[in-house]
Amino acid sequence: AASIDRVLREQLGRSRFATGQLGVLDTAHGVLRWLNAGHPLPLLIRQGHVVEALECAPRLPFGLNHLGGGSAPEIAEHQLEPGDGVLFYSDGIVEARRVGGEEFGADRLQDFLSAAFSGGLSPAETLRRLSNAILDHHGGQLQDDATTLLVVWRPEG
């Protein structure tokens, strides 16, 4: 995160920024560690249902950490169970609006994920269908970034 801050400041100046999350999954033990730089909280999917948003105090977006007083960001940690999924996503996913103003919304996202996991869809197919649902909801033209990353932990052996 510090390296991203430095590069953004050096390359783009002190007023440019990017939101995001950085994470590491210990694939042997299922321990997920991450930090949040201005994105919605990731969603934990367990046994076919979204069970919670994984808490992590946000830090300032990348490139703006010089405004935060230099405190170290929170590194969140969560122990996954075999078959758990975690969806990291940008706010453009839930804020995608239909003509007339209706957002895709967090409830619709959670319902979509629960149906996909209960239906046994692969992570790749889940994200393909989610992308299509977002585009359909938004009339085919996104006005904001709509980024997703779905991680499913299946222990080796």
Side-chain angles (χ1 to χ4, degrees):
S3 294
I4 294 170
D5 286 327
R6 183 180 42 75
V7 168
L8 284 174
R9 278 193 314 276
E10 289 172 0
Q11 298 294 316
L12 301 175
R14 294 176 63 87
S15 63
R16 299 295 180 141
F17 64 91
T19 60
Q21 296 188 56
L22 296 175
V24 174
L25 174 61
D26 176 341
T27 58
H29 301 101
V31 176
L32 176 65
R33 298 180 75 227
W34 75 100
L35 67 79
N36 181 357
H39 272 251
L41 297 174
L43 299 174
L44 175 65
I45 306 114
R46 177 171 287 155
Q47 298 179 354
H49 302 285
V50 176
V51 294
E52 65 180 314
L54 297 177
E55 294 295 326
C56 180
R59 58 161 266 162
L60 289 170
F62 298 118
L64 298 179
N65 204 42
H66 62 283
L67 301 174
S71 62
E74 176 182 326
I75 306 295
E77 184 173 297
H78 192 82
Q79 176 64 57
L80 300 179
E81 294 180 9
D84 280 356
V86 178
L87 180 76
F88 294 90
Y89 63 100
S90 65
D91 60 359
I93 294 293
V94 293
E95 293 174 0
R97 292 184 181 275
R98 277 190 197 272
V99 175
E102 180 189 5
E103 288 186 344
F104 190 81
D107 290 341
R108 189 181 321 244
L109 175 60
Q110 290 181 19
D111 290 346
F112 180 94
L113 292 169
S114 292
F117 271 71
S118 293
L121 295 180
S122 70
E125 183 62 15
T126 297
L127 290 185
R128 187 189 73 75
R129 290 184 186 192
L130 178 59
S131 295
N132 286 335
I134 297 294
L135 283 169
D136 288 348
H137 184 82
H138 203 56
Q141 296 290 331
L142 296 177
Q143 302 301 315
D144 193 4
D145 68 290
T147 305
T148 57
L149 172 69
L150 178 58
V151 175
V152 177
W153 181 56
R154 294 189 176 96
E156 299 172 8

